[in-house]
Amino acid sequence: FEDDLAVRLDEALAESPDIISLSAGTSTRNNLPSLSLDVFIETRLNRVNGLVLVAAVGNENSRQYFWPAAFPEVVSVGALAENGRDKASFSNFGSCVEVYAPGVSVLSSWIGSTTRTITGTSMASQPDGRRKRCSRATMVMARRPAAPRRRPAG
């Protein structure tokens, strides 16, 4: 899975995006990133000036790292409960979560030009002009120091 994800992210870079919003990822044994994702971040993502990678942190209600969201170069997004203040009961949490956004009962486009109401950190990490999630990601990136943050210890 991680190898395929790194390949697909690399293909997305060919489109010269400003933001990549990712609602996929995985936890790993010993909380260490997969080699393929680590290589992608270090050799490809870090060399694209101005690109923001936004990723969901996972839905296990856990502190366990969820890759690639746990990389310090990635804006990691957890889900807020419906009240907009509390962490959603399912959202991963902890030091690797940078920002929370609405993630419960979010109206989303669906196959066949229809819509569905969906819940999850994937919904919290998606661009949505009404909720300004990508703007939040940009604000997080603007506040970051020029030097990359330290990677979480495994």
Side-chain angles (χ1 to χ4, degrees), residues 19 50-55 69 71-78 95-101 124 132-149:
I19 297 174
L51 173 66
V52 178
L53 176 57
V54 180
F71 282 108
E73 297 88 349
V74 175
V75 177
S76 53
V77 184
S95 61
C96 65
V97 181
E98 269 188 281
V99 65
Y100 286 86
K132 308 292 185 215
R133 290 187 197 126
C134 282
S135 295
R136 286 184 189 181
T138 304
M139 288 170 43
V140 167
M141 291 301 293
R143 288 193 303 257
R144 285 187 177 172
R149 294 178 295 150

Side-chain angles (χ1 to χ4, degrees), residues 15 74 100 128 131:
E15 302 296 322
V74 175
Y100 286 86
D128 179 346
R131 293 204 174 97

